[in-house]
Amino acid sequence: MSVVQYVEGNSLLHRLDPRAKIIMLTILTIIIFIVENFLMIGAILLTILLLWWSARLPMKTLASYFKFLTGLFVFIIVIQGLFYSGEVILVQPLIPRWVPLIGGLGKISLDGALFGILISARIICLICLLPLVTMTTPIHFFALGLTKMGLSYQIAYTMTTALNTIPVLQNEASVVMDAQKLRAFRVFEEGSFVQKLKAYPALAVPLVIGAMRRAQLMGVAMDSRAFGALKRRTYVEDIIMKPQDYAVLAVFAVYCAAVLVGNFML
Amino acid sequence: MKESRVKSEQRERQVPAGGSEYAIEINNLTFTYPGGFTALKEINLKVKRNEFVGIIGQNGAGKSTLLKNITGLLKPTKGDVIVVGVNTKDSTVADLATRVGFVLQNPDRQLFAPTVEEEVSFGPKNLKLPADEIKQRVQEALGYVGLLEQKDAFPPALSKGDRAKVVIASVLAMRPEVIILDEPTTGQDFRGCHQIMGIASRFHEAGHTVLVVTHHMALVTEYTQRTIVLCNGTVLMDGETREVFSHPEMLRQTFIVPPQITQAGTDLKEALMAARRGWTPRTVLTVKELGEDIVAAMKP
Ligand SMILES: Nc1ncnc2c1ncn2[C@@H]1O[C@H](COP(=O)(O)OP(=O)(O)OP(=O)(O)O)[C@@H](O)[C@H]1O
Ligand SMILES: [Mg+2]
């Protein structure tokens, strides 16, 4: 389940200027938090799925997000239903009213469940949105886009390094999991969801130690190449906003307006 | 009660042990990674019980992929891998782990417990053994690698050689029938290399099967009886170590050069053959052997 690995391609999303993509990502993220209308959040999700398809990003990865998050969504919807009071009750109290203190608890309200669904829809939108940028933009272009938008090179570099580290950490986690399986640890092969959740924290120790070792080495390597010595940098590969990029941004503006109007009018 | 449990376990172990003369049987193994890269092509190999096998080949030859297929971490795309009588397809890694122990490449990444003792007891605990048996196995495994005194140490803080030994001890504590080591000597100093190979060697002498991948040719020639050369996912050569290192021209195909001592021996052999017709000395594998051959050559 890789989130940030660049996927080779030549779709419209691949060819867009990273700055255009970053702007759209930011605005759409804000809109996802604003929108409360089910139709509109559904429309956004559909748009994101269509973009996945048009950029030929791996549908398998997309499916794995949904699979991975189903449990969380059920949890959110139930919890919201339980603690959000509303008029319409879907499930009657699980604990009879005459029980002292906790009597009457355990009813699931419609409003709460709907709110839970909205939160779940937002989460899945956000999670599917990010790879539309990270999987279609080579990481150094992403950093270049950020610096051209005014972010300091140091910070952009830190961010891209962090993104680059994710696949390394994923790989290291799978090595530790392999090592544990080789010592008859069954949870990753045949354990329940809860058992797996309990087993993950143990992976953190070797991962953190490894990350600290790497960070130290990297610091030395960067210092020895005079990182940050020059305040103004030049770039081997440059990026320029093309008419195509402006056109896409214009279409995006209309789309956002439509979604917001839809949200407040419907 | 406890004793009978241990005994029945031993009996269980002996059933597959008597079953076949081979520790590992690989039939027509082809393995393709999810990305579509075929790392192993039509591999056929049989490893007898109590063999000490070296596996060599350039970076990317497919050595680690082969070992992962043997231990069940990867399952064959085509073909079968049978380990101590069990087809890896019908088993889990955890179940295979009591038959075949595997020390992965780069020991540092395999340490996850806060103390050496806990690291080594992790496997036996997963086997749900009684507490005193676990204790005994940890003692035994740490004694085997010579780390009894460091049992309370924090594994990442140990020296590189000791970290490798902790991983080996943790695998030995599973009491496997076969042990497989993936580049255990990479990055180790001279002493570390020989200590690690010494552990493998003692395990072999105790009647077990050992497979070692290494880029140190001098260790292959000194310790192993049989050498398998992998090249681009196929078996380039497979035979007695002495035989394999008698063909430097073939080894060169996969960028392997025999140890310097073997090369010196070959030079000596050619010189002697020119001087004394009809006399063909063996391919030299160790310094000791070269010494013996020089002495033999000096005799009239
Ligand atoms: N997870 C993976 N996905 C795709 N290809 C892989 C993967 N792991 C390894 N490979 C490829 O398979 C080939 C064999 O890799 P393998 O790790 O088995 O080589 P090796 O002989 O162990 O090399 P080394 O001496 O470097 O350890 C290599 O070309 C490698 O790039
Ligand atoms: Mg390898």
Side-chain angles (χ1 to χ4, degrees), chain B residues 71-148:
Chain B
T71 48
L73 285 173
L74 298 174
K75 300 283 156 94
T77 312
K78 262 191 245 142
D80 292 287
V81 177
I82 294 149
V83 180
V84 199
V86 179
N87 193 321
T88 58
K89 276 181 187 161
D90 310 328
S91 191
T92 59
V93 179
D95 282 327
L96 286 168
T98 54
R99 300 165 192 276
V100 50
F102 184 24
V103 177
L104 290 158
Q105 207 164 339
N106 194 349
D108 291 349
R109 298 201 190 163
Q110 302 163 58
L111 297 167
F112 44 83
T115 68
V116 170
E117 191 173 15
E118 280 179 66
E119 189 74 51
V120 179
S121 62
F122 182 83
K125 274 184 191 152
N126 287 328
L127 296 178
K128 309 235 157 38
L129 298 170
D132 48 350
E133 159 109 26
I134 294 177
K135 211 164 170 193
Q136 192 204 330
R137 283 197 181 198
V138 172
Q139 288 280 325
E140 184 190 286
L142 285 178
Y144 213 94
V145 301
L147 280 183
L148 273 173

Side-chain angles (χ1 to χ4, degrees), chain B residues 64 105 182-183:
Chain B
S64 299
Q105 207 164 339
D182 195 354
E183 298 194 23

Side-chain angles (χ1 to χ4, degrees), chain B residues 64-236:
Chain B
S64 299
T65 310
L66 177 65
L67 301 189
K68 285 182 182 168
N69 269 284
I70 296 174
T71 48
L73 285 173
L74 298 174
K75 300 283 156 94
T77 312
K78 262 191 245 142
D80 292 287
V81 177
I82 294 149
V83 180
V84 199
V86 179
N87 193 321
T88 58
K89 276 181 187 161
D90 310 328
S91 191
T92 59
V93 179
D95 282 327
L96 286 168
T98 54
R99 300 165 192 276
V100 50
F102 184 24
V103 177
L104 290 158
Q105 207 164 339
N106 194 349
D108 291 349
R109 298 201 190 163
Q110 302 163 58
L111 297 167
F112 44 83
T115 68
V116 170
E117 191 173 15
E118 280 179 66
E119 189 74 51
V120 179
S121 62
F122 182 83
K125 274 184 191 152
N126 287 328
L127 296 178
K128 309 235 157 38
L129 298 170
D132 48 350
E133 159 109 26
I134 294 177
K135 211 164 170 193
Q136 192 204 330
R137 283 197 181 198
V138 172
Q139 288 280 325
E140 184 190 286
L142 285 178
Y144 213 94
V145 301
L147 280 183
L148 273 173
E149 264 154 41
Q150 276 89 329
K151 77 178 172 27
D152 296 317
F154 179 50
L158 293 172
S159 73
K160 187 163 179 116
D162 287 351
R163 293 200 296 265
K165 285 183 220 157
V166 174
V167 180
I168 296 175
S170 336
V171 170
L172 289 178
M174 306 288 295
R175 297 224 178 121
E177 163 89 28
V178 181
I179 189 163
I180 301 183
L181 303 132
D182 195 354
E183 298 194 23
T185 57
T186 300
Q188 299 286 349
D189 60 13
F190 181 84
R191 186 160 155 263
C193 285
H194 284 280
Q195 282 178 342
I196 289 166
M197 293 305 281
I199 295 167
S201 196
R202 264 183 289 142
F203 193 71
H204 171 239
E205 275 153 27
H208 296 282
T209 314
V210 181
L211 267 69
V212 178
V213 165
T214 176
H215 291 295
H216 289 135
M217 294 309 135
L219 295 176
V220 178
T221 52
E222 185 163 345
Y223 288 93
T224 71
Q225 305 157 341
R226 174 177 167 191
T227 299
I228 295 169
V229 186
L230 287 186
C231 178
N232 291 328
T234 56
V235 177
L236 181 69

Side-chain angles (χ1 to χ4, degrees), chain A residues 1-222:
Chain A
M1 226 180 65
S2 56
V3 191
V4 292
Q5 212 116 59
Y6 175 65
V7 177
E8 204 89 30
N10 195 29
S11 71
L12 180 63
L13 269 181
H14 282 88
R15 280 178 281 130
L16 272 186
D17 189 284
R19 279 165 290 185
K21 286 192 257 192
I22 293 168
I23 292 169
M24 293 194 288
L25 175 69
T26 316
I27 294 177
L28 204 53
T29 305
I30 296 170
I31 289 183
I32 288 171
F33 277 108
I34 295 175
V35 168
E36 285 178 333
N37 181 293
F38 279 96
L39 221 58
M40 287 301 128
I41 196 96
I44 294 175
L45 186 57
L46 192 68
T47 316
I48 292 172
L49 297 184
L50 281 174
L51 286 173
W52 267 79
W53 175 77
S54 75
R56 289 172 210 271
L57 297 181
M59 284 296 161
K60 249 198 207 152
T61 312
L62 192 62
S64 72
Y65 295 163
F66 276 87
K67 211 176 116 194
F68 188 73
L69 290 167
T70 318
L72 177 69
F73 292 160
V74 171
F75 178 75
I76 290 177
I77 294 168
V78 170
I79 288 291
Q80 288 298 336
L82 281 174
F83 291 103
Y84 197 102
S85 55
E87 297 284 296
V88 190
I89 302 298
L90 289 181
V91 177
Q92 285 308 316
L94 295 173
I95 305 163
R97 275 181 206 292
W98 50 263
V99 178
L101 286 175
I102 52 166
L105 284 183
K107 57 173 190 271
I108 295 181
S109 71
L110 177 65
D111 287 352
L114 286 177
F115 188 60
I117 293 173
L118 182 67
I119 294 180
S120 305
R122 280 180 183 158
I123 293 176
I124 195 78
C125 279
L126 290 175
I127 285 181
C128 298
L129 178 64
L130 185 66
L132 282 181
V133 177
T134 52
M135 283 184 168
T136 61
T137 320
I139 211 141
H140 58 279
F141 273 131
F142 189 75
L144 189 53
L146 287 173
T147 31
K148 290 260 166 145
M149 288 168 81
L151 194 72
S152 89
Y153 181 74
Q154 264 86 344
I155 295 176
Y157 187 84
T158 311
M159 282 176 62
T160 51
T161 309
L163 283 178
N164 267 329
T165 309
I166 293 176
V168 178
L169 285 178
Q170 278 178 338
N171 177 28
E172 284 193 1
S174 77
V175 173
V176 180
M177 279 155 74
D178 278 353
Q180 297 193 335
K181 282 189 214 164
L182 286 167
R183 293 192 231 153
F185 190 58
R186 296 172 180 280
V187 168
F188 294 122
E189 281 183 295
E190 34 193 9
S192 70
F193 183 70
V194 178
Q195 282 175 319
K196 278 183 195 158
L197 273 189
K198 279 193 197 151
Y200 282 117
L203 301 181
V205 177
L207 290 189
V208 169
I209 290 173
M212 274 161 39
R213 276 212 178 125
R214 253 197 325 279
Q216 216 169 21
L217 282 177
M218 196 164 176
V220 174
M222 282 162 68

